[in-house]
Amino acid sequence: MQDFAASFSLAFELILSADPELAEIVLLSLRVSLSATLAACAIGMSLGAAIAIFRFPGRGALLIFANAMMGLPPVVVGLAIYMLLSNAGPLGALSLLYSPTAMIVAQTVLVTPIATALTRQVISDLHVEYDEQLRSLSLGPLDTLGTLLWDARFSLITVALAGFGRAVAEVGAVIIVGGNINHVTRVMTTAIALETSKGDLALALALGLILIGISIAVNAALMALKGTARRFAYE
């Protein structure tokens, strides 16, 4: 019990003193996850909105694929990206394996189906609600899409926050394609796994507390956005 108490005490000291190693790991985690979330939202939101508004061959299959990808094990995604980026893979010449870029690619692949499916649902619901009004204004598909995206802006920010929460908590895929290399690809989740296996609970606990803090902040932001969206809806 004393060892655990000492580990917690040291963990808080690391956080309060902004330990350089801790800060480096946290900043890399945020850079990778934010980059992946932005890329995934750019792809997923565009695709989800298009599926919701337009009718085209293969639309149903694309939606089924996106929904299925939401439940794909991260280690499988990591393995697929590893095979693509390895020296023997089709993208091996880019030399991206075991780099932050590879980790961003893996997280983007994981978050994009979430952004696609949630955006499709949000835009579809709005399209049904405002269909008659939009048709009375004689808006074309692109104008309709722009109108619905603007009206759904708070919900889409919620989608982005959900995607970020998924990305920052990822460990399986990033450890496969990143290699958990110190000062290069070591992020919060992979560092926690490593330090726990080494018995260095202080650093693992410090990173865990920061991850919990990020999770609480994301959920608080989600609640605040929902409240803001409701207020705007009744104005």
Side-chain angles (χ1 to χ4, degrees), residues 136-220:
S136 69
L137 296 173
S138 300
L139 295 180
L142 291 178
D143 290 330
T144 297
L145 182 59
T147 300
L148 293 177
L149 285 173
W150 173 252
D151 195 66
R153 59 194 183 278
F154 293 111
S155 295
L156 294 180
I157 294 174
T158 299
V159 171
L161 288 172
F164 173 74
R166 176 69 179 86
V168 77
E170 167 51 32
V171 59
V174 295
I175 202 169
I176 292 175
V177 301
N180 200 19
I181 303 171
N182 196 24
H183 305 301
V184 180
T185 59
R186 186 162 298 169
V187 293
M188 285 188 284
T189 51
T190 60
I192 290 172
L194 176 65
E195 299 303 324
T196 301
S197 67
K198 289 165 52 180
D200 187 359
L201 295 181
L203 181 56
L205 283 170
L207 291 168
L209 290 171
I210 292 173
L211 263 179
I212 292 172
I214 291 173
S215 177
I216 292 172
V218 168
N219 280 279

Side-chain angles (χ1 to χ4, degrees), residues 60-83:
L62 187 59
L63 181 57
I64 291 172
F65 178 75
N67 287 334
M69 285 289 290
M70 290 178 66
L72 193 64
V75 290
V76 176
V77 173
L79 176 60
I81 301 300
Y82 178 90
M83 294 175 67

Side-chain angles (χ1 to χ4, degrees), residues 7-229:
S7 296
F8 271 105
S9 177
L10 185 53
F12 282 111
E13 287 181 16
L14 290 173
I15 295 172
L16 295 176
S17 64
D19 178 74
E21 182 180 2
L22 179 71
E24 180 185 38
I25 294 171
V26 171
L27 290 175
L28 178 60
S29 297
L30 293 176
R31 179 164 69 89
V32 168
S33 296
L34 285 171
S35 299
T37 301
L38 289 174
C41 286
I43 299 168
M45 288 182 180
S46 300
L47 186 57
I51 293 173
I53 299 299
F54 301 111
R55 299 294 181 267
F56 52 86
R59 175 179 177 271
L62 187 59
L63 181 57
I64 291 172
F65 178 75
N67 287 334
M69 285 289 290
M70 290 178 66
L72 193 64
V75 290
V76 176
V77 173
L79 176 60
I81 301 300
Y82 178 90
M83 294 175 67
L84 286 173
L85 300 181
S86 66
N87 291 334
L91 301 179
L94 298 177
S95 300
L96 295 178
L97 195 61
Y98 302 133
S99 70
T101 302
M103 298 162 70
I104 291 171
V105 171
Q107 288 190 2
T108 299
V109 172
L110 286 168
V111 176
T112 296
I114 297 174
T116 301
L118 294 181
T119 300
R120 200 278 313 172
Q121 187 63 56
V122 168
I123 300 300
S124 291
D125 291 344
L126 282 178
H127 195 204
V128 171
E129 183 177 352
Y130 296 124
D131 184 47
E132 291 186 6
Q133 183 177 355
L134 292 170
R135 282 190 295 172
S136 69
L137 296 173
S138 300
L139 295 180
L142 291 178
D143 290 330
T144 297
L145 182 59
T147 300
L148 293 177
L149 285 173
W150 173 252
D151 195 66
R153 59 194 183 278
F154 293 111
S155 295
L156 294 180
I157 294 174
T158 299
V159 171
L161 288 172
F164 173 74
R166 176 69 179 86
V168 77
E170 167 51 32
V171 59
V174 295
I175 202 169
I176 292 175
V177 301
N180 200 19
I181 303 171
N182 196 24
H183 305 301
V184 180
T185 59
R186 186 162 298 169
V187 293
M188 285 188 284
T189 51
T190 60
I192 290 172
L194 176 65
E195 299 303 324
T196 301
S197 67
K198 289 165 52 180
D200 187 359
L201 295 181
L203 181 56
L205 283 170
L207 291 168
L209 290 171
I210 292 173
L211 263 179
I212 292 172
I214 291 173
S215 177
I216 292 172
V218 168
N219 280 279
L222 288 172
M223 294 297 293
L225 279 170
K226 287 179 180 179
T228 302

